[in-house]
Amino acid sequence: MSLSHSDPTYNDLLRTHPAVTADPQKGLMVGSVALSTLAEEVGTPCWVINAETLRLRAQLMQQAFTDASLPVTCHFAVKSQDNQACLTVLGQAGWGADVVSGGELERALAAGIPADKIVFSGVGKTDDELKLAITHDIAQVNVESAEELHRLNGLAQQMERTIRVSLRVNPDVDAKTHSKITTGRAEDKFGIAYTDIPSLYRTAQRDMQGLNVRGLAVHLGSQISTEEPFRQGYTQLAKMVTTLRQDGLSVEDIDCGGGLGITYRNEIAPAPAMLAQVMADIFGALDVNLRVEPGRWLSAPAGVLLSRVIDTKQGTHQFVILDAAMSELVRPAMYDSWHGILPVHLPDAEAATSPVDVVGPVCESSDTFAKQRMLPPLKRNDLVAILDAGAYGSTMSSTYNSRPFAAQIMVDGDQWAVIRPRQTLEDLLACEKTPHWFTQGA
């Protein structure tokens, strides 16, 4: 992604992140609720997600396909944000779910998303997870290997059922994004090699009685900012559709995956209209049912991580130490990702900024949110909002250093509610047991 030479300012970030607004008296707001109020009522660190933003972005994505005259079924990538309240909001907006585990499948069902709107992806589905998909008769399973295909067929026949499947193609296309979130190269673990698809598809459709083979699927990676990777990957799929049909095989569905990028820093993030146009250009005349599976694009801008300054520390660098840590938001440590950081109190227009390292309290050098970030003065007990934390934030949280899970809050206009209570240390310890022989005779 192309970046400018300097980081965005406070006002730049507010302009590019409309889910967060500034009130002269109350400071930063999510919806019509002051973040300072949430910090006082619920404590920090905590996740805050804006239901209005989820709805708006869901509608914008759907509208892009409507404007392109392209019927598409939308499935939200649950791995990006799996809270029941968030899934309920998107389900009510007409979205299905893309899941990558049995747990996510159960979450989607519990949130009221119908089984026939659930797609199951993922490279390592267990037999129990595949049986769960068969039992619920979900929309389809995106099969990632020949081995999985044979296992799924055997299980379906044992259960005297059939299950709809698509074969996930690995098109060997580089998405030109971070290596750890690229999934469509030949060396990546995902999908079936492009050259292996014709024979496997033929065998599955003609000989595997437990399967209803519907079509092809692809997912190229995440945080993609240009149309080129989409065009390359989708063109490969379109060619494969032609090849399969010439062999007398039916291809009814194409699952296009997700991956549309957002603006974290100064990236020029594409609009959904770009994705819709690429899909229309390539698949519009193929007479196939289309699916998409965005996650980050919907949920990341809808959420912030609200944190309080524990202390500041002067050394070779000036440090601002937060009560949030990599145990809450691991993306900077894992991907060197950049997240906007805004003081919740509005800084004085004349306040000078200075470079600081924003870090957490966990005993790892990688527990760092930002290095040499230009920020206005921050002092003990000040609040900050870490932006674009609605995707791959709470879902990747851990309890490292015996730090209980943070609370999660949903804001909807002027209403707010805790949608995941803060875990207590007692809750955390209650999950553990000491072997009985340690206490015998004590």
Side-chain angles (χ1 to χ4, degrees):
M1 290 189 176
S2 59
L3 296 171
S4 71
H5 295 296
S6 61
D7 285 340
T9 65
Y10 190 97
N11 289 329
D12 290 337
L13 287 169
L14 286 176
R15 187 175 61 254
T16 56
H17 293 76
V20 179
T21 58
D23 181 277
Q25 280 75 46
K26 298 178 181 178
L28 287 189
M29 312 277 289
V30 169
S32 299
V33 179
L35 287 177
S36 58
T37 298
L38 299 179
E40 182 179 348
E41 294 286 336
V42 181
T44 57
C46 66
W47 302 97
V48 183
I49 196 146
N50 190 344
E52 289 180 323
T53 302
L54 281 177
R55 288 193 200 96
L56 174 62
R57 293 182 77 82
Q59 292 163 3
L60 289 173
M61 180 69 73
Q62 291 165 316
Q63 189 61 47
F65 294 111
T66 299
D67 292 345
S69 300
L70 193 68
V72 171
T73 304
C74 296
H75 302 262
F76 175 64
V78 173
K79 64 181 179 179
S80 72
Q81 173 54 259
D82 65 6
N83 190 280
Q84 291 283 284
C86 300
L87 299 182
T88 298
V89 168
L90 293 170
Q92 290 175 348
W95 281 64
D98 166 54
V99 304
V100 294
S101 72
E104 287 188 355
L105 197 164
E106 296 278 22
R107 274 184 175 274
L109 291 169
I113 295 176
D116 63 5
K117 287 189 174 183
I118 298 176
V119 174
F120 197 163
S121 306
V123 72
K125 308 178 192 76
T126 67
D127 285 2
D128 284 345
E129 288 173 324
L130 293 174
K131 289 177 183 178
L132 186 66
I134 295 167
T135 298
H136 286 289
D137 193 25
I138 67 170
Q140 72 181 37
V141 175
N142 289 338
V143 173
E144 302 257 357
S145 68
E147 294 82 357
E148 181 187 331
L149 193 72
H150 285 281
R151 277 197 298 125
L152 181 57
N153 180 55
L155 292 168
Q157 288 185 303
Q158 289 172 20
M159 297 171 68
E160 299 183 338
R161 304 280 292 273
T162 59
I163 183 73
R164 291 172 290 275
V165 303
S166 284
L167 303 192
R168 178 170 175 176
V169 181
N170 184 320
D172 194 17
V173 169
D174 189 344
K176 305 298 183 184
T177 185
H178 193 291
S179 179
K180 292 182 179 179
I181 52 175
T182 297
T183 58
R185 302 167 301 187
E187 65 266 29
D188 295 324
K189 69 179 181 179
F190 299 96
I192 300 163
Y194 185 82
T195 53
D196 293 341
I197 291 291
S199 62
L200 190 60
Y201 196 100
R202 183 185 312 113
T203 298
Q205 193 162 84
R206 292 178 176 173
D207 301 334
M208 295 188 180
Q209 302 305 309
L211 307 181
N212 176 2
V213 181
R214 304 281 301 177
L216 304 172
V218 72
H219 179 67
L220 302 169
S222 190
Q223 189 59 5
I224 301 173
S225 64
T226 65
E227 68 176 65
E228 180 186 358
F230 291 117
R231 282 198 178 276
Q232 288 182 6
Y234 295 165
T235 297
Q236 292 278 71
L237 253 67
K239 290 178 180 177
M240 184 59 68
V241 171
T242 300
T243 297
L244 295 174
R245 286 175 172 173
Q246 287 174 344
D247 194 23
L249 302 168
S250 66
V251 183
E252 300 177 53
D253 296 344
I254 296 290
D255 187 333
C256 296
L260 197 65
I262 67 164
T263 299
Y264 282 101
R265 192 176 186 180
N266 279 333
E267 300 93 338
I268 301 172
M274 179 274 279
L275 180 63
Q277 189 59 58
V278 171
M279 290 172 58
D281 291 346
I282 296 171
F283 299 123
L286 277 184
D287 189 25
V288 288
N289 304 310
L290 295 170
R291 304 181 192 274
V292 290
E293 301 166 359
R296 177 197 313 271
W297 193 88
L298 274 77
S299 58
V304 303
L305 175 56
L306 180 59
S307 182
R308 190 178 295 277
V309 176
I310 295 175
D311 217 334
T312 61
K313 176 182 175 180
Q314 182 64 55
T316 305
H317 286 187
Q318 174 74 22
F319 293 95
V320 173
I321 306 166
L322 304 182
D323 62 2
M326 63 186 290
S327 52
E328 277 74 46
L329 182 63
V330 76
R331 295 190 71 254
M334 183 178 288
Y335 304 128
D336 295 319
S337 60
W338 195 98
H339 286 262
I341 301 174
L342 296 179
V344 169
H345 68 272
L346 271 58
D348 190 312
E350 304 300 320
T353 60
S354 59
V356 296
D357 287 6
V358 183
V359 302
V362 159
C363 288
E364 298 281 349
S365 295
S366 57
D367 185 26
T368 299
F369 294 111
K371 289 188 174 182
Q372 296 298 279
R373 183 72 61 84
M374 299 299 294
L375 289 173
L378 288 167
K379 63 184 187 302
R380 175 171 163 78
N381 288 324
D382 281 350
L383 296 169
V384 299
I386 302 177
L387 303 180
D388 297 310
Y392 306 106
S394 61
T395 58
M396 297 177 79
S397 295
S398 74
T399 57
Y400 187 45
N401 283 190
S402 290
R403 292 172 51 85
F405 286 122
Q408 194 164 353
I409 298 166
M410 176 169 279
V411 173
D412 198 355
D414 61 357
Q415 302 180 93
W416 65 271
V418 174
I419 58 175
R420 186 180 73 181
R422 187 177 307 282
Q423 188 182 39
T424 65
L425 188 58
E426 290 74 21
D427 295 333
L428 189 59
L429 293 176
C431 298
E432 303 172 15
K433 293 184 181 297
T434 302
H436 67 86
W437 60 84
F438 288 170
T439 57
Q440 287 177 348

